[in-house]
Amino acid sequence: FTWQTNFTDAENYGSHLETVTVTDVFGVSAEQNVTVTVNNVVNTECSNAVKNSCTVSSSTTLPAQQHYAFKDGIRIIGDNLVLDCAGSTIDGTGSPYPSDGISIGGRDGVTVKNCQVNNYNRGLSVLSSLNSIIDSIQATGNKVGIYLESSHNNQITTSSVDTSVDFGVMLDQSNGNTLSNNAITGSSATDANIMIMNTNNNQITDNVISSVPNGNGMWIQTSTNTLAEGNTFESSANGIKLESSSQTT
């Protein structure tokens, strides 16, 4: 038989025993103990579009193609989980940009995918975290589109960042990260589409980096051993700016 239900409490996440009533084709019913594995939790807090913010502590899929006016964004507070926005938009207040759209702080093994994040201080921030995967994100109109600080061995892939105020993607004191197959478009105010500072051993490959008429497509500052390969630069004052950096290829 097939049994499906939605759990709204993250405490139900994982495997546990449930008692169910099974009725056969002859109408005979009997109770049986079955093991139920919950792979995804319906997060009612994040499903409420009128709240200022929400927290995610276990793997969560938002209802598809919705709009959420979360003034203070979504905060991820668990490890080894997936947040799938399913194409929904997380929208901030814009200037003066009080908060981050989606924040990962002090976490390990978090995946965030299929989210559109607009009008925040930082569209998506990864702080003091390891082994995150940022996939298929669209970040528009944020001060910084995607921001990594003191975070290592993370991946940013197949994402789109555009019209950021300061930087499209910024890596600060973050080592061993991969930024690949993204489209990063600036604006007249953008200093650099990709800003890399105080880092080691990052790979920036196969990205399309465009439209920074008064700035840099990529700015690598005080960093070592950066691989910048296969990137396409369009309509920027400078392609790559190197400052106090070494072993960049």
Short mmCIF file of all heavy atoms in Angstrom, two decimals, residues 194-237:
data_model
loop_
_atom_site.label_atom_id
_atom_site.label_comp_id
_atom_site.label_asym_id
_atom_site.label_seq_id
_atom_site.Cartn_x
_atom_site.Cartn_y
_atom_site.Cartn_z
N ILE A 194 32.92 40.27 -9.59
CA ILE A 194 33.45 39.25 -8.68
C ILE A 194 34.59 39.88 -7.90
O ILE A 194 35.56 40.35 -8.48
CB ILE A 194 33.94 38.01 -9.43
CG1 ILE A 194 32.80 37.37 -10.23
CG2 ILE A 194 34.53 36.99 -8.46
CD1 ILE A 194 33.22 36.20 -11.08
N MET A 195 34.48 39.89 -6.57
CA MET A 195 35.51 40.43 -5.69
C MET A 195 36.07 39.30 -4.85
O MET A 195 35.34 38.62 -4.12
CB MET A 195 34.92 41.51 -4.78
CG MET A 195 35.94 42.12 -3.84
SD MET A 195 37.14 43.14 -4.73
CE MET A 195 38.44 43.35 -3.53
N ILE A 196 37.39 39.07 -4.96
CA ILE A 196 38.06 38.00 -4.21
C ILE A 196 39.16 38.65 -3.39
O ILE A 196 40.07 39.27 -3.93
CB ILE A 196 38.65 36.95 -5.17
CG1 ILE A 196 37.55 36.38 -6.07
CG2 ILE A 196 39.35 35.84 -4.41
CD1 ILE A 196 38.07 35.56 -7.22
N MET A 197 39.08 38.51 -2.06
CA MET A 197 40.07 39.17 -1.23
C MET A 197 40.46 38.30 -0.03
O MET A 197 39.63 37.60 0.54
CB MET A 197 39.54 40.52 -0.73
CG MET A 197 38.25 40.47 0.04
SD MET A 197 37.53 42.12 0.37
CE MET A 197 38.85 42.88 1.29
N ASN A 198 41.77 38.29 0.25
CA ASN A 198 42.31 37.56 1.41
C ASN A 198 41.97 36.08 1.34
O ASN A 198 41.57 35.47 2.34
CB ASN A 198 41.77 38.17 2.71
CG ASN A 198 41.98 39.67 2.80
OD1 ASN A 198 43.07 40.15 2.52
ND2 ASN A 198 40.93 40.39 3.16
N THR A 199 42.12 35.47 0.17
CA THR A 199 41.74 34.07 -0.01
C THR A 199 42.89 33.27 -0.63
O THR A 199 43.86 33.81 -1.16
CB THR A 199 40.51 33.95 -0.93
OG1 THR A 199 40.90 34.29 -2.27
CG2 THR A 199 39.38 34.86 -0.49
N ASN A 200 42.71 31.93 -0.61
CA ASN A 200 43.65 31.01 -1.24
C ASN A 200 42.89 29.90 -1.95
O ASN A 200 41.83 29.46 -1.50
CB ASN A 200 44.58 30.38 -0.19
CG ASN A 200 45.36 31.40 0.60
OD1 ASN A 200 46.14 32.17 0.04
ND2 ASN A 200 45.15 31.43 1.91
N ASN A 201 43.45 29.47 -3.08
CA ASN A 201 43.03 28.21 -3.72
C ASN A 201 41.57 28.20 -4.17
O ASN A 201 40.86 27.20 -4.00
CB ASN A 201 43.29 27.02 -2.78
CG ASN A 201 44.74 26.94 -2.35
OD1 ASN A 201 45.65 27.10 -3.16
ND2 ASN A 201 44.95 26.75 -1.06
N ASN A 202 41.10 29.29 -4.74
CA ASN A 202 39.75 29.32 -5.29
C ASN A 202 39.78 29.14 -6.80
O ASN A 202 40.75 29.51 -7.47
CB ASN A 202 39.06 30.63 -4.93
CG ASN A 202 38.76 30.74 -3.44
OD1 ASN A 202 37.96 29.99 -2.91
ND2 ASN A 202 39.43 31.67 -2.77
N GLN A 203 38.72 28.56 -7.34
CA GLN A 203 38.60 28.33 -8.77
C GLN A 203 37.41 29.11 -9.32
O GLN A 203 36.27 28.90 -8.87
CB GLN A 203 38.44 26.84 -9.08
CG GLN A 203 39.63 26.00 -8.65
CD GLN A 203 39.51 24.55 -9.09
OE1 GLN A 203 38.72 24.22 -9.96
NE2 GLN A 203 40.31 23.69 -8.48
N ILE A 204 37.67 29.99 -10.29
CA ILE A 204 36.64 30.82 -10.90
C ILE A 204 36.63 30.47 -12.38
O ILE A 204 37.48 30.93 -13.15
CB ILE A 204 36.93 32.33 -10.71
CG1 ILE A 204 37.42 32.61 -9.28
CG2 ILE A 204 35.71 33.16 -11.07
CD1 ILE A 204 36.43 32.31 -8.20
N THR A 205 35.70 29.62 -12.82
CA THR A 205 35.79 29.06 -14.16
C THR A 205 34.45 29.13 -14.90
O THR A 205 33.38 28.96 -14.31
CB THR A 205 36.24 27.59 -14.10
OG1 THR A 205 35.28 26.82 -13.37
CG2 THR A 205 37.61 27.45 -13.44
N ASP A 206 34.55 29.39 -16.21
CA ASP A 206 33.43 29.26 -17.15
C ASP A 206 32.24 30.12 -16.76
O ASP A 206 31.08 29.72 -16.91
CB ASP A 206 33.01 27.79 -17.27
CG ASP A 206 34.15 26.91 -17.74
OD1 ASP A 206 34.84 27.29 -18.69
OD2 ASP A 206 34.38 25.84 -17.13
N ASN A 207 32.51 31.33 -16.30
CA ASN A 207 31.45 32.27 -15.98
C ASN A 207 31.34 33.34 -17.07
O ASN A 207 32.32 33.65 -17.75
CB ASN A 207 31.73 32.96 -14.64
CG ASN A 207 31.87 31.97 -13.50
OD1 ASN A 207 30.89 31.43 -13.01
ND2 ASN A 207 33.11 31.71 -13.09
N VAL A 208 30.17 33.92 -17.23
CA VAL A 208 29.97 35.08 -18.10
C VAL A 208 29.85 36.30 -17.19
O VAL A 208 28.94 36.38 -16.36
CB VAL A 208 28.72 34.93 -18.99
CG1 VAL A 208 28.51 36.19 -19.81
CG2 VAL A 208 28.86 33.71 -19.89
N ILE A 209 30.77 37.25 -17.36
CA ILE A 209 30.90 38.39 -16.46
C ILE A 209 30.78 39.65 -17.31
O ILE A 209 31.61 39.90 -18.19
CB ILE A 209 32.25 38.34 -15.73
CG1 ILE A 209 32.40 36.99 -14.99
CG2 ILE A 209 32.41 39.50 -14.77
CD1 ILE A 209 33.82 36.65 -14.60
N SER A 210 29.74 40.46 -17.06
CA SER A 210 29.46 41.53 -18.01
C SER A 210 28.93 42.80 -17.33
O SER A 210 28.48 42.78 -16.19
CB SER A 210 28.45 41.05 -19.06
OG SER A 210 27.22 40.70 -18.46
N SER A 211 29.00 43.90 -18.10
CA SER A 211 28.32 45.16 -17.81
C SER A 211 28.75 45.79 -16.49
O SER A 211 27.94 46.01 -15.58
CB SER A 211 26.80 44.96 -17.84
OG SER A 211 26.38 44.50 -19.11
N VAL A 212 30.06 46.09 -16.41
CA VAL A 212 30.56 46.92 -15.31
C VAL A 212 31.29 48.11 -15.96
O VAL A 212 32.51 48.15 -16.01
CB VAL A 212 31.50 46.13 -14.37
CG1 VAL A 212 31.73 46.90 -13.08
CG2 VAL A 212 30.95 44.77 -14.04
N PRO A 213 30.54 49.08 -16.47
CA PRO A 213 31.17 50.13 -17.28
C PRO A 213 32.17 50.97 -16.53
O PRO A 213 33.07 51.57 -17.13
CB PRO A 213 29.96 50.96 -17.74
CG PRO A 213 28.86 50.65 -16.78
CD PRO A 213 29.08 49.23 -16.37
N ASN A 214 32.05 51.04 -15.20
CA ASN A 214 32.96 51.87 -14.42
C ASN A 214 33.82 51.07 -13.45
O ASN A 214 34.43 51.63 -12.55
CB ASN A 214 32.16 52.91 -13.62
CG ASN A 214 31.35 53.83 -14.51
OD1 ASN A 214 31.85 54.34 -15.50
ND2 ASN A 214 30.08 54.01 -14.17
N GLY A 215 33.86 49.75 -13.64
CA GLY A 215 34.58 48.92 -12.68
C GLY A 215 35.28 47.75 -13.31
O GLY A 215 35.68 47.78 -14.48
N ASN A 216 35.41 46.66 -12.54
CA ASN A 216 36.18 45.49 -12.93
C ASN A 216 35.28 44.27 -13.07
O ASN A 216 34.41 44.04 -12.23
CB ASN A 216 37.24 45.21 -11.87
CG ASN A 216 38.11 46.42 -11.59
OD1 ASN A 216 38.98 46.77 -12.38
ND2 ASN A 216 37.88 47.07 -10.46
N GLY A 217 35.53 43.49 -14.10
CA GLY A 217 34.83 42.23 -14.20
C GLY A 217 35.17 41.34 -13.02
O GLY A 217 34.28 40.77 -12.36
N MET A 218 36.46 41.23 -12.69
CA MET A 218 36.93 40.45 -11.54
C MET A 218 38.08 41.21 -10.87
O MET A 218 38.97 41.70 -11.56
CB MET A 218 37.40 39.06 -11.99
CG MET A 218 37.74 38.11 -10.86
SD MET A 218 38.46 36.54 -11.46
CE MET A 218 37.24 36.01 -12.68
N TRP A 219 38.02 41.31 -9.56
CA TRP A 219 39.04 42.01 -8.79
C TRP A 219 39.60 41.03 -7.78
O TRP A 219 38.90 40.56 -6.88
CB TRP A 219 38.43 43.22 -8.11
CG TRP A 219 39.39 44.14 -7.41
CD1 TRP A 219 40.74 43.98 -7.22
CD2 TRP A 219 39.05 45.39 -6.80
NE1 TRP A 219 41.27 45.02 -6.54
CE2 TRP A 219 40.26 45.92 -6.27
CE3 TRP A 219 37.87 46.11 -6.64
CZ2 TRP A 219 40.28 47.14 -5.58
CZ3 TRP A 219 37.90 47.31 -5.97
CH2 TRP A 219 39.09 47.83 -5.46
N ILE A 220 40.88 40.67 -7.92
CA ILE A 220 41.54 39.71 -7.03
C ILE A 220 42.55 40.48 -6.19
O ILE A 220 43.52 41.02 -6.70
CB ILE A 220 42.22 38.59 -7.82
CG1 ILE A 220 41.20 37.89 -8.73
CG2 ILE A 220 42.88 37.59 -6.88
CD1 ILE A 220 41.81 36.85 -9.66
N GLN A 221 42.31 40.50 -4.89
CA GLN A 221 43.10 41.34 -3.98
C GLN A 221 43.66 40.51 -2.83
O GLN A 221 42.94 39.76 -2.17
CB GLN A 221 42.19 42.46 -3.44
CG GLN A 221 42.88 43.45 -2.51
CD GLN A 221 41.87 44.43 -1.94
OE1 GLN A 221 41.24 44.16 -0.92
NE2 GLN A 221 41.71 45.58 -2.59
N THR A 222 44.98 40.60 -2.63
CA THR A 222 45.65 39.96 -1.49
C THR A 222 45.28 38.47 -1.41
O THR A 222 44.89 37.96 -0.37
CB THR A 222 45.31 40.67 -0.17
OG1 THR A 222 45.23 42.07 -0.37
CG2 THR A 222 46.38 40.38 0.89
N SER A 223 45.39 37.79 -2.54
CA SER A 223 45.01 36.38 -2.63
C SER A 223 46.09 35.60 -3.36
O SER A 223 46.86 36.16 -4.15
CB SER A 223 43.67 36.23 -3.35
OG SER A 223 42.63 36.89 -2.64
N THR A 224 46.14 34.29 -3.11
CA THR A 224 47.12 33.43 -3.77
C THR A 224 46.43 32.23 -4.40
O THR A 224 45.39 31.77 -3.94
CB THR A 224 48.18 32.92 -2.77
OG1 THR A 224 47.55 32.18 -1.73
CG2 THR A 224 48.93 34.09 -2.15
N ASN A 225 47.08 31.75 -5.47
CA ASN A 225 46.69 30.51 -6.12
C ASN A 225 45.21 30.51 -6.54
O ASN A 225 44.46 29.58 -6.22
CB ASN A 225 46.98 29.31 -5.21
CG ASN A 225 47.00 28.00 -5.99
OD1 ASN A 225 47.30 27.98 -7.18
ND2 ASN A 225 46.68 26.92 -5.32
N THR A 226 44.81 31.55 -7.26
CA THR A 226 43.45 31.63 -7.81
C THR A 226 43.49 31.16 -9.27
O THR A 226 44.29 31.65 -10.07
CB THR A 226 42.93 33.08 -7.76
OG1 THR A 226 42.94 33.53 -6.41
CG2 THR A 226 41.51 33.15 -8.31
N LEU A 227 42.62 30.21 -9.60
CA LEU A 227 42.47 29.75 -10.98
C LEU A 227 41.30 30.50 -11.60
O LEU A 227 40.15 30.34 -11.16
CB LEU A 227 42.22 28.25 -11.03
CG LEU A 227 41.90 27.67 -12.42
CD1 LEU A 227 43.10 27.83 -13.36
CD2 LEU A 227 41.48 26.20 -12.31
N ALA A 228 41.58 31.33 -12.59
CA ALA A 228 40.54 32.05 -13.32
C ALA A 228 40.64 31.62 -14.78
O ALA A 228 41.49 32.11 -15.53
CB ALA A 228 40.72 33.56 -13.17
N GLU A 229 39.79 30.71 -15.18
CA GLU A 229 39.94 30.05 -16.47
C GLU A 229 38.59 29.93 -17.17
O GLU A 229 37.57 29.62 -16.55
CB GLU A 229 40.55 28.67 -16.26
CG GLU A 229 40.85 27.89 -17.51
CD GLU A 229 41.51 26.56 -17.18
OE1 GLU A 229 40.79 25.66 -16.71
OE2 GLU A 229 42.74 26.44 -17.38
N GLY A 230 38.59 30.18 -18.49
CA GLY A 230 37.40 29.95 -19.29
C GLY A 230 36.28 30.94 -19.08
O GLY A 230 35.13 30.68 -19.45
N ASN A 231 36.59 32.09 -18.45
CA ASN A 231 35.57 33.10 -18.20
C ASN A 231 35.43 34.04 -19.40
O ASN A 231 36.41 34.31 -20.10
CB ASN A 231 35.92 33.91 -16.95
CG ASN A 231 36.02 33.04 -15.72
OD1 ASN A 231 35.03 32.50 -15.25
ND2 ASN A 231 37.24 32.87 -15.20
N THR A 232 34.24 34.54 -19.62
CA THR A 232 33.97 35.50 -20.69
C THR A 232 33.67 36.86 -20.07
O THR A 232 32.79 36.97 -19.20
CB THR A 232 32.77 35.05 -21.54
OG1 THR A 232 33.06 33.77 -22.12
CG2 THR A 232 32.48 36.05 -22.64
N PHE A 233 34.41 37.89 -20.51
CA PHE A 233 34.22 39.25 -20.00
C PHE A 233 33.62 40.12 -21.09
O PHE A 233 34.13 40.15 -22.22
CB PHE A 233 35.55 39.83 -19.53
CG PHE A 233 36.16 39.10 -18.37
CD1 PHE A 233 37.02 38.04 -18.56
CD2 PHE A 233 35.86 39.48 -17.07
CE1 PHE A 233 37.59 37.36 -17.50
CE2 PHE A 233 36.41 38.80 -15.99
CZ PHE A 233 37.27 37.75 -16.20
N GLU A 234 32.57 40.85 -20.74
CA GLU A 234 31.89 41.70 -21.71
C GLU A 234 31.57 43.05 -21.08
O GLU A 234 31.10 43.12 -19.95
CB GLU A 234 30.58 41.04 -22.18
CG GLU A 234 30.75 39.68 -22.82
CD GLU A 234 29.43 38.99 -23.12
OE1 GLU A 234 28.39 39.49 -22.61
OE2 GLU A 234 29.43 37.98 -23.83
N SER A 235 31.85 44.12 -21.82
CA SER A 235 31.39 45.47 -21.47
C SER A 235 31.78 45.89 -20.06
O SER A 235 30.95 46.38 -19.28
CB SER A 235 29.87 45.58 -21.64
OG SER A 235 29.48 45.23 -22.94
N SER A 236 33.07 45.71 -19.73
CA SER A 236 33.58 46.16 -18.44
C SER A 236 34.80 47.04 -18.66
O SER A 236 35.53 46.86 -19.64
CB SER A 236 33.96 44.97 -17.55
OG SER A 236 32.83 44.16 -17.29
N ALA A 237 35.01 48.00 -17.75
CA ALA A 237 36.17 48.88 -17.88
C ALA A 237 37.46 48.07 -17.84
O ALA A 237 38.40 48.32 -18.60
CB ALA A 237 36.15 49.93 -16.78
#
